[in-house]
Amino acid sequence: MSDSLSIVLFSGTEDKLHAAATIAVGAVAMDRPVNILLMYWALDAFRADRIANDHGLAYDAARPRFNEPVGLVAHIPWLETFRQAKEIGEMSILACSGSLEVLGIDVTTLDPLVDSSGGIATFLLAAEGGQILFI
């Protein structure tokens, strides 16, 4: 069994991007290879001209709860965390080719953090034998 961790990142909200980045950097710090598949709104968040924008919060994260510092979540540097993960370990970020097509995005317009584009089969081959998370 592989010790790799593969993350299907579907959401493009700040809270989910931060969660994926935190899990990824933790895994690479433990010498686990990480594969990330960007789909739909997560892919949209990695557009070079939008990556630094505020991507908002998921509905359930945006509702105020007693003593919850919701406003601070949007200030967590998920982008920098992803960059650090790539610097300290083995991490590959794949843009889903089907999502690129549906959203009308050209892979060349994505941030350089994204390594390449490919289909589900490409991602599943890289993930084979390891853990897969869906965020």
Side-chain angles (χ1 to χ4, degrees):
M1 179 174 194
S2 170
D3 68 340
S4 70
L5 175 64
S6 298
I7 301 171
V8 177
L9 185 51
F10 180 85
S11 176
T13 59
E14 297 281 336
D15 51 315
K16 304 279 177 74
L17 293 164
H18 169 66
T22 301
I23 292 167
V25 78
V28 298
M30 296 173 64
D31 291 324
R32 292 182 69 182
V34 174
N35 305 298
I36 297 177
L37 176 65
L38 301 176
M39 297 183 75
Y40 299 109
W41 308 124
L43 181 61
D44 189 64
F46 276 79
R47 289 185 192 207
D49 63 342
R50 299 180 186 180
I51 197 163
N53 293 356
D54 179 359
H55 297 287
L57 299 173
Y59 172 74
D60 55 343
R63 291 185 302 185
R65 295 182 186 105
F66 182 70
N67 286 337
E68 184 177 345
V70 173
L72 298 177
V73 175
H75 300 291
I76 296 170
W78 63 268
L79 180 57
E80 185 56 34
T81 305
F82 272 124
R83 285 193 175 115
Q84 288 174 354
K86 284 199 123 183
E87 289 174 9
I88 64 171
E90 183 183 338
M91 183 174 81
S92 171
I93 300 179
L94 181 72
C96 174
S97 56
S99 295
L100 286 168
E101 186 176 325
V102 167
L103 296 174
I105 300 173
D106 187 289
V107 69
T108 62
T109 65
L110 298 176
D111 189 86
L113 275 174
V114 180
D115 297 300
S116 61
S117 66
I120 299 302
T122 302
F123 174 74
L124 291 175
L125 283 171
E128 190 171 11
Q131 293 177 301
I132 299 177
L133 299 177
F134 187 86
I135 299 176

Short mmCIF file of all heavy atoms in Angstrom, two decimals, residues 40 43 47 95-107 117:
data_model
loop_
_atom_site.label_atom_id
_atom_site.label_comp_id
_atom_site.label_asym_id
_atom_site.label_seq_id
_atom_site.Cartn_x
_atom_site.Cartn_y
_atom_site.Cartn_z
N TYR A 40 -13.68 22.03 -10.56
CA TYR A 40 -14.68 23.09 -10.54
C TYR A 40 -14.25 24.33 -9.77
O TYR A 40 -13.35 25.03 -10.18
CB TYR A 40 -16.03 22.52 -10.10
CG TYR A 40 -16.50 21.47 -11.06
CD1 TYR A 40 -16.52 20.12 -10.70
CD2 TYR A 40 -16.85 21.80 -12.36
CE1 TYR A 40 -16.92 19.16 -11.61
CE2 TYR A 40 -17.25 20.83 -13.27
CZ TYR A 40 -17.28 19.52 -12.89
OH TYR A 40 -17.66 18.56 -13.78
N LEU A 43 -10.67 24.78 -8.84
CA LEU A 43 -9.90 25.12 -10.03
C LEU A 43 -10.03 26.60 -10.35
O LEU A 43 -9.04 27.28 -10.65
CB LEU A 43 -10.40 24.28 -11.21
CG LEU A 43 -9.72 24.46 -12.54
CD1 LEU A 43 -8.25 24.10 -12.46
CD2 LEU A 43 -10.41 23.61 -13.58
N ARG A 47 -7.02 30.37 -10.61
CA ARG A 47 -6.73 31.21 -11.78
C ARG A 47 -5.72 32.28 -11.36
O ARG A 47 -5.88 32.91 -10.30
CB ARG A 47 -7.99 31.90 -12.29
CG ARG A 47 -8.97 30.97 -12.95
CD ARG A 47 -10.11 31.77 -13.52
NE ARG A 47 -11.21 30.93 -13.93
CZ ARG A 47 -12.05 31.27 -14.88
NH1 ARG A 47 -11.94 32.44 -15.50
NH2 ARG A 47 -13.03 30.46 -15.20
N ALA A 95 -4.79 19.96 -12.55
CA ALA A 95 -6.06 20.60 -12.91
C ALA A 95 -6.89 19.58 -13.69
O ALA A 95 -6.41 19.01 -14.67
CB ALA A 95 -5.80 21.84 -13.78
N CYS A 96 -8.11 19.36 -13.26
CA CYS A 96 -9.00 18.40 -13.93
C CYS A 96 -9.33 18.92 -15.34
O CYS A 96 -9.88 20.02 -15.49
CB CYS A 96 -10.27 18.24 -13.11
SG CYS A 96 -11.52 17.22 -13.94
N SER A 97 -8.99 18.14 -16.33
CA SER A 97 -9.21 18.57 -17.71
C SER A 97 -10.69 18.74 -18.02
O SER A 97 -11.08 19.64 -18.77
CB SER A 97 -8.55 17.61 -18.70
OG SER A 97 -9.03 16.29 -18.50
N GLY A 98 -11.54 17.91 -17.44
CA GLY A 98 -12.98 18.06 -17.64
C GLY A 98 -13.51 19.34 -17.05
O GLY A 98 -14.34 20.04 -17.65
N SER A 99 -13.03 19.71 -15.86
CA SER A 99 -13.44 20.96 -15.23
C SER A 99 -12.94 22.16 -16.02
O SER A 99 -13.64 23.16 -16.15
CB SER A 99 -12.93 21.03 -13.79
OG SER A 99 -13.52 20.03 -13.00
N LEU A 100 -11.72 22.06 -16.54
CA LEU A 100 -11.20 23.14 -17.38
C LEU A 100 -12.13 23.39 -18.55
O LEU A 100 -12.47 24.53 -18.87
CB LEU A 100 -9.80 22.79 -17.91
CG LEU A 100 -8.63 22.86 -16.93
CD1 LEU A 100 -7.40 22.20 -17.53
CD2 LEU A 100 -8.34 24.28 -16.51
N GLU A 101 -12.56 22.30 -19.17
CA GLU A 101 -13.43 22.41 -20.33
C GLU A 101 -14.79 23.00 -19.97
O GLU A 101 -15.28 23.92 -20.63
CB GLU A 101 -13.61 21.03 -20.98
CG GLU A 101 -14.39 21.08 -22.27
CD GLU A 101 -14.46 19.71 -22.94
OE1 GLU A 101 -13.48 18.94 -22.84
OE2 GLU A 101 -15.49 19.43 -23.54
N VAL A 102 -15.39 22.49 -18.91
CA VAL A 102 -16.72 22.96 -18.49
C VAL A 102 -16.69 24.44 -18.13
O VAL A 102 -17.60 25.20 -18.48
CB VAL A 102 -17.24 22.13 -17.29
CG1 VAL A 102 -18.45 22.78 -16.65
CG2 VAL A 102 -17.58 20.71 -17.74
N LEU A 103 -15.64 24.87 -17.43
CA LEU A 103 -15.54 26.27 -17.01
C LEU A 103 -14.93 27.18 -18.07
O LEU A 103 -14.88 28.40 -17.90
CB LEU A 103 -14.73 26.38 -15.71
CG LEU A 103 -15.35 25.71 -14.49
CD1 LEU A 103 -14.38 25.76 -13.31
CD2 LEU A 103 -16.67 26.33 -14.13
N GLY A 104 -14.47 26.61 -19.16
CA GLY A 104 -13.87 27.41 -20.22
C GLY A 104 -12.56 28.06 -19.81
O GLY A 104 -12.25 29.18 -20.20
N ILE A 105 -11.77 27.34 -19.01
CA ILE A 105 -10.49 27.86 -18.50
C ILE A 105 -9.35 27.20 -19.26
O ILE A 105 -9.34 25.99 -19.45
CB ILE A 105 -10.34 27.56 -16.99
CG1 ILE A 105 -11.46 28.21 -16.18
CG2 ILE A 105 -8.97 28.01 -16.48
CD1 ILE A 105 -11.47 27.81 -14.71
N ASP A 106 -8.40 27.98 -19.68
CA ASP A 106 -7.19 27.46 -20.31
C ASP A 106 -6.16 27.21 -19.20
O ASP A 106 -5.96 28.07 -18.34
CB ASP A 106 -6.64 28.47 -21.32
CG ASP A 106 -5.50 27.90 -22.12
OD1 ASP A 106 -4.41 27.70 -21.53
OD2 ASP A 106 -5.70 27.63 -23.31
N VAL A 107 -5.53 26.06 -19.22
CA VAL A 107 -4.58 25.70 -18.17
C VAL A 107 -3.46 26.73 -18.04
O VAL A 107 -2.91 26.92 -16.94
CB VAL A 107 -4.03 24.27 -18.40
CG1 VAL A 107 -3.12 24.22 -19.61
CG2 VAL A 107 -3.35 23.74 -17.15
N SER A 117 -2.40 19.53 -16.33
CA SER A 117 -3.81 19.15 -16.38
C SER A 117 -3.89 17.69 -16.78
O SER A 117 -2.98 17.14 -17.40
CB SER A 117 -4.59 20.03 -17.36
OG SER A 117 -4.15 19.80 -18.69
#
